[in-house]
Amino acid sequence: MKQILVIVMIIFTSQLTLAQVKAIKGTVVDGGGAPIPSANVKVQGESNGTSTDFDGSFALKVNKGKTLVFSYIGYESKSVTVGDEEVIKVILKSESTTALTEVVVTSLGIKKTRKSLTYAAQELKGEELTRAKDANIVNTIAGKIAGVNVVKSAGGTGGSTKVTIRGNSSVLNNQPLYVIDGIPMLNTSSSQPNDSFGSTQGGNRDGGDVASLINPEDYEGMTILKGASAAALYGSQGARGVIILTSKKIKEDTSFVRASSNTTFESAAYLPKFQTDYIAKPGANESWGAKSGSKDHVKDFFRTGSTQISALNIGTASKKSSSYLSYANTTSNGIIPTNSLRKHNFGLKQTFKLLDDKLVVNANVNYVTQEITNRPTSGLYFNPLTGVYLMPRGADFNNYKNNFEVFDPVRNMMVQNWVGSRDIWQNPYWGLNRNKSEDSNHYFNGALGVNYKANKWLSIGSRFNYDKIDSKFEKFIYATTEGTLSHPNGRYILINNASTQKYGDLIATINTKINDDFSFNANIGASITDRFLNDEQVLDSNPAGLKIANWFTLHNFNDTQGIFQNYGERKQTQSLFAAATIGFRDYLYADVTARKDWSSSLVNAEQPAVYPSLGVTTLLSEIVEFPSYVSFAKVRASVAAVGNDIPNFVSNPMNLYTATNPTNIAPTFGPQAGTKLKAERQNSFEIGTEWRFLENRIGLELTYYNNTTKNQLLSVPAPATNPEGYQNYIFNSGVIKNSGIEAVLFAKVIKSDTFEWDANVNYSLNRNKVTNLPDNLGGVVVLTPAGVNNYRYALYNNQPFGIIEGVNLKRDAQGRVLLNADGTIQKTGLEKVGNANPDFMIGFQNSFKLGNYFLNFTIDGRFGGDVMSLTQAINDEFGVSKATGDARNAGGVAINAVYPNGSAYTGKYPADSYYTQVGGRAGATGEYIYDATNISLRELSLGYTFKLSENKYLKAASLSVVGRNLLFFYKNAPFDPNISLSTGNGLQGVDVFGMPSTRSIGLNLNVTF
């Protein structure tokens, strides 16, 4: 009987005990609500425990009444007694430093703690992306990240931006990879200029890129991965660095409605300087006539532009789901008459938690539509600025403005009214109204992702993403447009461009602690990417022209020679990858990754080897007892290899059709028989250290890197009799080396209850060198051909990437200008006259808070390097520049010159003779090289945050005055050297009638309900 009673009591006790075991879930966050990953969760007095994942979440079975102890380095521990609740939210109070717990979004969307990073990665918070808004989110990076050079397009609002990270490393492409929430983004452009004179097919136009279309309000931050070690998981896409955007997330049990309105006014700044003292001779196109005052009409041509960006964001989240809806509208009127932009952004994101929160499903859709009228162009063709700048002084500009067309009774139609006929100019108002262009972009992005948490240490996720961009360019060119550009009956151009990208991946994530000493995080996965880029349908009535004048329809074409289709890139890349981080006692971490790519563009070529990386970081402050003022100390080192794929149809050449030479359909490029092509490969080494002092008040990060990129893809003209029929042989040769230093210093200079001052300085120095260019290229690779212009952009052996070539005045050993016997000036051939690379760059950010007032500004400095101004050269040739007026007022140009017989030139050289020889696009362009050094106030925001603690409906509101590109503290060039004519490799370091940069100032209003 006693035995039976004991058994019953044991069973009863066991059932009671089991009944008290609870499944507890929860999150661990810091005081600001940010999740704390890898925090320890222990049952007091037991070995039972777990750790949080990268979202700060945990799950644990524990008896009711037990005490859970939450701890993490850098935070005060906290104890919680288990009661009836099933979900626990724990807030840990920070100790002296947060450097140990900061989380950074890295490759493929993988989250890592900053302390464990073995490479340099800098972040920008969402506030910095929207504080002083730009229609292109990428422009807001300028001056804020060490080692990143941001150059704005001359294409105005809606233009793309050239970003170079740690120097140019490729003759193919130097733009970084853009990633949104771990998924590579389709960031293509339908058109980029590469002609210094200007394209005859609509002008040198920047077609914009996808990055210029996205809505900055949708993102909570940006991470810039600069080196190969950071980007190794992207393999053949990662050699140029990575810019990662992270979408906004909504906290549980919150709802909000945010609205913002940003209105700015733009004015043309940093225009060329013109003379108003001399006019043109009767009937002449150049202004080399008598002295007579004339009005400066150039400033009157430009108007005050305006940009209005309005955004609405709605979000709500419960424990099981979240919803986010966004809309943004951008309306802009450019500084050039008739130029306008209209853009609409729509975004929707939905997240669900299923199966007891083990399965997370998220989906998002984004759609953007943009219309641009008369997008600004650069170069000499289809550019209204040539007519504005060069119009003969003494002519009535307003007359040509108000009467840009007149009736021609012979042709029985309105025709262009202008002072003269030259291929590089027209009446600017004829160009704007009778050479009108329409650009449109329609971008769609859809993504679906699922993630299943199999247990506390393993989760499996899969994502699919679809990008599509459709671009249309339409230009209506009326009869009597300049003959180089149009048939006498006019011209009609319609170009449709389409690009798509499909991406899918499957990733397993392991996050566990092996024991109290070792942690292990790993990612293993596969991905596939399909890209169809820049498929074009071209309808161009030239060269045969239109049958009936000014009837812009396909039916009116004289023939179909100008109708054709271009196939862009067609590529599939299949990849396997793996990454692992092993941590020892939270102060020593080893990071290893590997990726293998198989690319369809390398058919008949050599597929790349595995792209590996290895990195180590040590937290010195956790193993060495430093003085109390040292809060954090870390050293890191890494080595890696990444790649850069070859273009489509190179290893497998295809026939080519061009309207200008329709009988020659031979492939443009192809490998010589018996040779195999390779992808570029970059080998990289990086070492760095990070320190923080005085309870995190001061921080310093130093990095040294050394990158070598080999297997550059080069070409030489193929023999006319080559059996393959190629126009050019393409092959691998050449090495580009980059090495440099980056330094980031930040300080919380003042922190009190009423006043705060935060400062940040970033410094970067990059040294670049091109080697191993083959002898059969003469040791030079031309990136921008000269044509009839005395400007060329090229690569030279043992020189930096980006040598500017021009023509100089011939001089003797004493520096005297050499004259011919008739007194004309002798000139050299094309030779090196400048280097487009800066010596070093510095960015300086400041943030002040005084009560509810705030002030933020960014100063951006570029030191060294050279630029060339063909605009100034041509203005001089035409006698319209201030320099030519000053020379005439001075009685000529003082030159130290000598005749062939050795006798010195006496007196002053006639200004008109000097500048018509030295100026112009075919003149001594070496005289138009300027120091590119400049220091500018890039961004400013001054505002007030309203006190709303007692308002039931309005949660937050702020109003600020904002400005961009407000002034130069120093500038030597006659134009803004931070403006680029192209985001490609060509047309760098030169201005050819690019639209002047703008100074913008306005108001920014933000409210949250």
Side-chain angles (χ1 to χ4, degrees), residues 404-623:
F404 65 83
E405 59 184 0
V406 295
F407 184 73
D408 182 355
V410 176
R411 297 201 64 180
N412 192 34
M413 64 180 183
M414 303 297 286
V415 299
Q416 180 175 189
N417 179 30
W418 189 230
V419 293
S421 177
R422 298 184 75 137
D423 66 336
I424 66 171
W425 71 357
Q426 298 188 89
N427 185 317
Y429 291 95
W430 172 270
L432 295 174
N433 292 280
R434 296 294 178 258
N435 292 170
K436 187 177 179 180
S437 67
E438 296 285 351
D439 282 81
S440 66
N441 301 100
H442 299 274
Y443 171 62
F444 172 83
N445 164 259
L448 177 65
V450 295
N451 190 80
Y452 180 73
K453 191 163 186 175
N455 51 47
K456 67 179 182 179
W457 56 268
L458 173 65
S459 62
I460 300 172
S462 182
R463 300 173 296 191
F464 173 78
N465 187 81
Y466 178 76
D467 286 321
K468 181 175 175 59
I469 176 75
D470 290 305
S471 302
K472 184 174 79 170
F473 172 73
E474 195 169 18
K475 196 166 186 71
F476 309 90
I477 305 168
Y478 279 68
T480 71
T481 291
E482 205 285 317
T484 304
L485 309 177
S486 174
H487 185 271
N489 280 346
R491 182 179 182 184
Y492 176 56
I493 302 172
L494 174 63
I495 302 175
N496 288 308
N497 186 292
S499 297
T500 61
Q501 176 174 286
K502 289 179 282 187
Y503 173 89
D505 65 24
L506 177 65
I507 303 175
T509 300
I510 300 170
N511 181 14
T512 187
K513 281 197 169 186
I514 300 173
N515 53 41
D516 289 341
D517 289 337
F518 288 94
S519 63
F520 179 75
N521 300 309
N523 304 91
I524 304 171
S527 68
I528 184 169
T529 306
D530 271 320
R531 293 161 61 96
F532 283 20
L533 300 188
N534 295 326
D535 284 351
E536 280 189 338
Q537 295 175 333
V538 180
L539 280 68
D540 188 349
S541 61
N542 267 21
L546 299 173
K547 299 175 187 176
I548 302 171
N550 302 335
W551 186 17
F552 304 111
T553 176
L554 178 61
H555 182 69
N556 194 37
F557 283 25
N558 278 320
D559 64 26
T560 60
Q561 187 173 321
I563 302 173
F564 55 94
Q565 189 168 0
N566 289 326
Y567 289 96
E569 178 181 294
R570 277 163 162 68
K571 181 186 296 184
Q572 183 178 100
T573 304
Q574 300 173 6
S575 307
L576 294 175
F577 50 84
T581 300
I582 300 174
F584 176 70
R585 292 186 179 177
D586 290 327
Y587 63 74
L588 178 63
Y589 295 90
D591 207 1
V592 60
T593 72
R595 177 169 172 135
K596 173 64 177 175
D597 287 339
W598 292 269
S599 172
S600 64
S601 70
L602 287 165
V603 63
N604 302 325
E606 184 178 319
Q607 293 288 346
V610 171
Y611 296 115
S613 78
L614 174 64
V616 177
T617 186
T618 302
L619 274 63
L620 298 178
S621 53
E622 296 301 309
I623 57 178

Side-chain angles (χ1 to χ4, degrees), residues 274-437:
F274 297 95
Q275 62 89 10
T276 57
D277 294 337
Y278 296 87
I279 62 174
K281 296 176 182 178
N285 292 157
E286 298 88 2
S287 299
W288 292 109
K291 187 167 186 176
S292 178
S294 61
K295 183 180 179 182
D296 182 3
H297 63 273
V298 176
K299 291 182 179 179
D300 293 337
F301 171 76
F302 296 100
R303 65 183 182 182
T304 299
S306 63
T307 301
Q308 169 71 43
I309 305 175
S310 301
L312 179 67
N313 307 288
I314 302 173
T316 184
S318 66
K319 289 182 174 57
K320 296 295 183 181
S321 67
S322 67
S323 302
Y324 177 80
L325 176 66
S326 68
Y327 169 73
N329 171 264
T330 303
T331 302
S332 178
N333 294 308
I335 60 173
I336 292 179
T338 72
N339 169 231
S340 63
L341 175 145
R342 302 291 183 270
K343 180 169 68 173
H344 300 273
N345 294 75
F346 302 89
L348 175 64
K349 185 173 183 178
Q350 187 71 48
T351 302
F352 299 99
K353 294 181 179 179
L354 305 170
L355 304 180
D356 198 26
D357 295 353
K358 290 184 177 181
L359 179 66
V360 179
V361 180
N362 58 74
N364 66 270
V365 176
N366 293 281
Y367 177 71
V368 186
T369 176
Q370 176 177 270
E371 307 286 340
I372 301 178
T373 300
N374 279 343
R375 185 194 289 270
T377 58
S378 63
L380 304 177
Y381 296 150
F382 287 116
N383 189 345
L385 295 188
T386 57
V388 175
Y389 291 178
L390 303 178
M391 188 197 76
R393 273 35 180 185
D396 186 353
F397 186 76
N398 284 331
N399 177 58
Y400 290 108
K401 172 182 177 180
N402 299 325
N403 302 284
F404 65 83
E405 59 184 0
V406 295
F407 184 73
D408 182 355
V410 176
R411 297 201 64 180
N412 192 34
M413 64 180 183
M414 303 297 286
V415 299
Q416 180 175 189
N417 179 30
W418 189 230
V419 293
S421 177
R422 298 184 75 137
D423 66 336
I424 66 171
W425 71 357
Q426 298 188 89
N427 185 317
Y429 291 95
W430 172 270
L432 295 174
N433 292 280
R434 296 294 178 258
N435 292 170
K436 187 177 179 180
S437 67

